[in-house]
């Protein structure tokens, strides 16, 4: 069985006691993909590392992206060749680290009469993209004639399509990618806690020497010392810079990205399509299991960062974009099954619109030594981590003569990866399906388990074999819950249904069907009182309404 570290809030008191009686080389604030990547990079180089997250891991931007490990083709139009080269090259690396979680996904770019991409420009652009991203073999771009494009995606508008570009990308689950980075960092001695909000910094000779944090679950506050502190809090980076009295110079510019989820039968695209809309933006339509999701928008955001929602204008915009590209579909508001909205923590540039802002990351170091990192893309998380840990490495060498080894995260397989390549992943899916078929489970169920947990599926199935619930689907979901509580720090039903399984987005019906059983099981595991169980249920019901409210409103 593949390695899976014990990582549970059932041990929280013991973990808290160990952490608060220790001193660290590095404290990372923020348990998103950037913080998770930094924790793994730092710990694997020998730094004693602690990661603190104020909510659940990946509960901010890192569970609300387009869920693509992609090379940023549109940045060629902005002549941002460096960004395209770096993130393009990173795609294959991240795929190799977790081939069960970062899945190859061919992308079709239709050439439409009157569209913003012409045949020559697309051909040259995709060729440059391949060169910059060092794409080889079957993944190299192809230019397709109209007939070939229509064969790949019959829903395209036959009268308008002139051909298409066809190129390689990768699809992922951003929250699980974050979590597997954090879990892998534990193997190198890192410690990590969710629901720990940093409220202030410790100082020694006017230099940051640690943090004060509040345990959100118990309400207790603690102080922990560290030689270095990295602020990787995504949209909340500037709040922490404010606490540190170092919010000056460059600042964040938050933009909102929205995604809508439809039943696949309502938007039955055969494969992923990247298409332009009349206002010049680009939209993805991506099939995923039982659903197809579309996105994204890019609008300025100045409201509550802890309550980012899809509004009516977002939904209308995306539905209009889809109906314009796929005229035979005629999607309506009530077809929306679920949705999500997240924030991009970009670096502000005067006079630039939300879509024009660079996706490059930047590192700021305050006079007191607090290192903050912001900007960037999901695809580039590993390089962002390498850059910021390199900065600490240089400092350690200058000040202490301590030399860290170079970054090796490009060769460290993530938790759940017991595969040499994607072919092995597909074989393993077939094997799991063969095992589950007599129990009444489908190919989708096997695909879901393997793309969520990789070889950790064995642990889930072992628990499944020991449980006694009569309903097989319920027994399976409770086995997943048991695994995620033991190994993935699940503390609430939302942690489970959103960040560990993605069910609230991609299988919302299963949440409604199994929420009571999950809440009852979680209450038993954590010995929760009735008030806590009721709060969990209220929170989950609120989220169900929030994510599917357009369909609910149309039903009234």
């Amino acid at each position: 069985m593949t390695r899976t570290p014990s990582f549970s809030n059932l041990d929280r008191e013991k973990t808290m006691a160990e952490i608060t009686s220790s001193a660290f080389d590095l404290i990372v604030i923020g348990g998103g993909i950037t913080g998770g990547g930094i924790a793994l990079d730092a710990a694997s180089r020998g730094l004693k590392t602690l990661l603190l997250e104020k909510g659940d891991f990946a509960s901010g931007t890192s569970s609300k992206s387009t869920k693509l490990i992609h090379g940023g083709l549109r940045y060629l139009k902005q002549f941002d060749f460096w960004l395209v080269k770096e993130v393009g090259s990173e795609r294959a690396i991240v795929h190799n680290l977790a081939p069960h979680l970062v899945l190859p996904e061919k992308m079709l770019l239709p050439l439409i009469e009157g569209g913003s991409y012409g045949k020559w420009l697309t051909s040259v652009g995709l060729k440059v993209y391949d060169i910059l991203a060092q794409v080889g073999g079957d993944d190299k771009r192809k230019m397709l004639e109209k007939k070939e494009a229509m064969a790949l995606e019959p829903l395209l508008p036959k009268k308008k399509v002139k051909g298409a570009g066809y190129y390689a990308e990768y699809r992922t689950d951003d929250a699980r990618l974050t979590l597997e980075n954090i879990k892998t960092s534990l193997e190198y001695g890192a410690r990590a806690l969710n629901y720990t909000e940093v409220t202030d910094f410790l100082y020694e000779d006017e230099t940051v020497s640690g943090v004060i944090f509040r345990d959100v679950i118990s309400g207790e506050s603690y102080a922990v010392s560290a030689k270095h502190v990295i602020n990787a809090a995504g949209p909340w980076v500037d709040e922490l810079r404010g606490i540190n009295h170092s919010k000056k110079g460059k600042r964040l510019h938050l933009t909102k990205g929205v995604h809508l989820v439809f039943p696949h039968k309502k938007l039955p695209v055969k494969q992923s399509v990247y298409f332009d809309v009349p206002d010049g933006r680009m939209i993805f339509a991506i099939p995923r299991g039982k659903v197809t999701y579309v996105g994204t928008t890019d609008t300025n955001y100045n409201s509550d960062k802890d309550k980012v929602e899809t509004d009516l204008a977002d939904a209308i915009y995306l539905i209009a974009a889809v109906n314009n590209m796929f005229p035979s579909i005629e999607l309506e508001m009530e077809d929306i099954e679920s949705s999500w909205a997240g924030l991009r923590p970009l670096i502000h540039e005067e006079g630039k619109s939300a879509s024009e802002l660079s996706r490059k990351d930047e590192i700021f170091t305050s006079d007191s030594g607090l290192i903050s990192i912001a900007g960037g893309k999901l695809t580039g998380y590993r390089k962002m981590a390498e850059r910021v840990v390199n900065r600490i490495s240089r400092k350690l060498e200058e000040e202490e003569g301590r030399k860290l080894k170079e970054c090796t995260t490009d060769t460290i397989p993530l938790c759940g990866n017991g595969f040499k390549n994607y072919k092995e992943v597909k074989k393993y899916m077939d094997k799991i399906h063969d095992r589950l078929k007599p129990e009444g489970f489908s190919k989708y169920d096997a695909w879901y388990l393997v793309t969520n947990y990789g070889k950790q599926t064995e642990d889930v199935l072992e628990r499944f074999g020991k449980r006694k619930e009569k309903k097989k689907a319920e027994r399976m979901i409770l086995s997943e819950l048991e695994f995620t509580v033991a190994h993935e720090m699940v503390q609430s039903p939302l942690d489970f249904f959103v960040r560990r399984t993605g069910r609230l987005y991609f299988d919302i019906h299963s949440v409604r069907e199994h929420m009571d059983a999950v809440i009852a099981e979680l209450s038993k595991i954590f010995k929760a009182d009735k008030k806590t169980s009721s709060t969990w249920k209220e929170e989950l019901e609120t989220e169900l309404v929030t994510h599917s409210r357009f369909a609910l409103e149309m039903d009234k």
Side-chain angles (χ1 to χ4, degrees):
M1 192 181 295
T2 191
R3 63 193 194 279
T4 307
S6 176
F7 190 35
S8 177
N9 272 319
L10 289 169
D11 306 323
R12 193 172 181 89
E13 281 186 29
K14 182 186 171 193
T15 304
M16 197 68 74
E18 290 172 354
I19 284 171
T20 53
S21 61
S22 302
F24 292 86
D25 291 320
L26 173 65
I27 292 175
V28 183
I29 308 170
I33 189 62
T34 307
I38 292 167
L40 176 55
D41 191 309
S44 63
R45 295 204 214 183
L47 291 177
K48 188 175 180 183
T49 303
L50 170 64
L51 182 145
L52 300 172
E53 162 57 45
K54 80 182 183 83
D56 183 28
F57 301 122
S59 56
T61 296
S62 297
S63 57
K64 295 165 187 144
S65 73
T66 303
K67 303 179 189 294
L68 289 173
I69 298 294
H70 68 108
L73 177 64
R74 76 184 183 88
Y75 306 125
L76 280 180
K77 290 175 85 174
Q78 298 171 358
F79 302 103
D80 204 339
F81 299 119
W82 176 87
L83 183 63
V84 174
K85 179 175 171 54
E86 177 167 289
V87 296
S89 304
E90 279 297 293
R91 295 175 309 164
I93 292 171
V94 181
H95 168 67
N96 288 334
L97 301 180
H100 64 289
L101 189 54
V102 180
L103 312 172
E105 184 81 13
K106 286 287 189 180
M107 194 70 67
L108 190 69
L109 176 62
L111 306 178
I112 303 292
E113 210 169 280
S116 59
Y117 281 90
K119 187 172 184 178
W120 182 84
L121 184 64
T122 301
S123 179
V124 171
L126 287 175
K127 180 71 175 172
V128 172
Y129 186 68
D130 279 357
I131 292 167
L132 289 174
Q134 301 169 327
V135 177
D138 291 339
D139 282 347
K140 281 187 177 177
R141 73 95 168 92
K142 294 174 186 170
M143 295 305 296
L144 307 177
E145 297 298 323
K146 176 174 182 168
K147 190 175 178 183
E148 296 171 296
M150 292 303 301
L152 280 171
E153 189 44 76
L155 293 177
L156 292 171
K158 196 170 184 180
K159 289 180 182 176
K160 292 184 186 176
V161 172
K162 294 155 60 176
Y166 195 51
Y167 63 106
E169 296 287 21
Y170 294 89
R171 180 162 52 77
T172 192
D173 182 308
D174 47 4
R176 289 216 59 88
L177 185 64
T178 300
L179 195 71
E180 301 301 13
N181 267 277
I182 294 170
K183 284 161 61 181
T184 308
S185 77
L186 305 182
E187 296 173 21
Y188 294 89
R191 306 304 297 265
L193 275 172
N194 51 2
Y195 299 105
T196 47
E197 181 177 10
V198 171
T199 55
D200 208 343
F201 295 94
L202 301 174
Y203 297 90
E204 195 173 298
D205 298 327
E206 298 184 349
T207 300
V208 169
S209 61
V211 303
I212 296 170
F213 70 87
R214 183 177 68 90
D215 180 353
V216 175
I217 294 167
S218 71
E220 296 289 320
S221 286
Y222 301 92
V224 186
S225 61
K227 291 176 184 174
H228 301 278
V229 178
I230 294 177
N231 168 16
W236 294 269
V237 156
D238 277 354
E239 269 80 350
L240 285 161
R241 290 172 77 204
I243 291 169
N244 179 242
H245 308 295
S246 59
K247 188 182 169 185
K248 48 194 173 189
K250 290 195 176 182
R251 59 185 169 87
L252 292 193
H253 184 134
L254 303 181
T255 74
K256 182 172 81 164
V258 165
H259 299 79
L260 304 180
V261 181
F262 301 93
H264 188 257
K265 63 185 178 185
K266 289 286 184 181
L267 184 52
V269 289
K270 288 172 71 175
Q271 65 137 78
S272 292
V273 185
Y274 185 39
F275 59 94
D276 55 347
V277 281
D279 69 0
R281 291 205 77 254
M282 299 294 293
I283 301 288
F284 290 101
I286 302 169
R288 184 187 180 112
K290 300 175 181 179
V291 301
T292 301
Y293 68 96
V294 300
T296 178
T297 58
D298 203 358
T299 52
N300 293 325
Y301 189 82
N302 299 299
S303 301
D304 186 351
K305 290 188 280 293
D306 291 301
K307 197 178 180 185
V308 188
E309 295 181 0
T310 304
D311 59 35
L312 189 61
D314 299 321
I316 289 170
Y317 175 83
L318 288 173
I319 285 179
V322 173
N323 287 342
N324 181 64
M325 179 51 61
F326 307 111
S328 63
I329 293 298
E330 298 179 351
L331 287 175
E332 296 178 3
M333 296 293 280
E334 58 260 40
D335 296 323
I336 299 170
E337 198 165 84
S338 186
S339 68
W340 70 88
L343 299 178
R344 303 177 188 90
L346 306 177
I347 312 300
H348 181 73
E349 296 175 69
E350 285 300 331
K352 289 202 173 182
S353 70
S355 294
E356 290 171 330
L357 289 173
S358 172
R359 267 52 179 172
K360 282 182 184 172
D361 56 279
E362 291 208 29
I363 300 169
F364 316 108
T365 304
S366 74
D367 293 341
S368 60
L370 175 67
I371 300 171
S372 299
I373 183 165
K377 289 167 56 61
L378 173 65
T379 309
Y381 82 87
R382 201 190 61 79
K383 294 300 286 184
M384 288 171 69
E386 181 180 350
R387 274 192 287 278
V388 77
V389 177
N390 279 349
R391 188 167 288 207
I392 289 172
S393 178
R394 286 194 295 271
K395 211 168 179 187
L396 282 171
E397 192 167 359
E398 288 166 9
E399 294 174 1
E400 299 179 22
R402 180 179 173 188
K403 190 166 175 63
L404 297 184
K405 65 179 182 179
E406 296 294 312
C407 172
T408 58
T409 55
D410 58 339
T411 60
I412 298 174
L414 298 183
C415 263
N417 177 13
F419 309 100
K420 288 179 185 172
N421 51 45
Y422 186 58
K423 280 183 183 175
E424 282 197 4
V425 176
K426 290 196 284 188
K427 281 181 187 174
Y428 185 63
M429 283 181 198
D430 292 338
K431 182 180 162 188
I432 294 299
H433 180 230
D434 289 343
R435 283 163 62 181
L436 289 176
K437 198 174 178 182
E439 301 275 8
F441 289 100
S442 65
K443 270 196 168 181
Y444 168 80
D445 296 313
W447 172 88
Y448 160 80
L449 285 169
V450 174
T451 56
N452 248 31
Y453 306 110
K455 284 291 181 74
Q456 297 166 118
T457 299
E458 297 297 334
D459 193 320
V460 175
L461 294 184
E462 189 177 308
R463 294 168 192 274
F464 175 79
K466 292 174 182 176
R467 297 192 69 95
K468 305 297 179 189
E469 287 81 11
K470 286 183 181 178
K471 292 179 181 175
K472 301 282 175 65
E474 186 174 296
R475 197 200 307 172
M476 183 63 80
I477 206 167
L478 293 180
S479 300
E480 287 183 74
L481 178 67
E482 199 182 323
F483 169 80
T484 56
V485 168
H487 298 292
E488 298 186 346
M489 293 289 274
V490 160
Q491 178 67 32
S492 77
L494 277 176
D495 297 346
F496 176 70
F497 281 124
V498 182
R499 269 85 58 181
R500 304 305 181 275
T501 66
R503 287 176 181 269
L504 191 71
Y505 301 151
F506 303 117
D507 193 3
I508 200 166
H509 305 295
S510 71
V511 180
R512 295 190 182 102
E513 185 181 350
H514 299 293
M515 61 186 286
D516 289 337
V518 165
I519 290 167
E521 182 76 3
L522 211 51
S523 299
K524 189 169 82 176
I525 290 171
F526 282 108
K527 298 181 175 63
D529 56 27
K530 283 185 180 178
K531 187 182 175 185
T532 302
S533 300
S534 297
T535 301
W536 283 342
K537 185 159 187 175
E538 284 168 21
E539 288 173 347
L540 191 48
E541 285 174 339
T542 299
E543 288 297 309
L544 280 165
V545 170
T546 299
H547 288 277
S548 59
R549 66 189 177 90
F550 301 109
L552 294 171
E553 284 168 8
M554 295 298 159
D555 283 343
K556 287 178 184 175

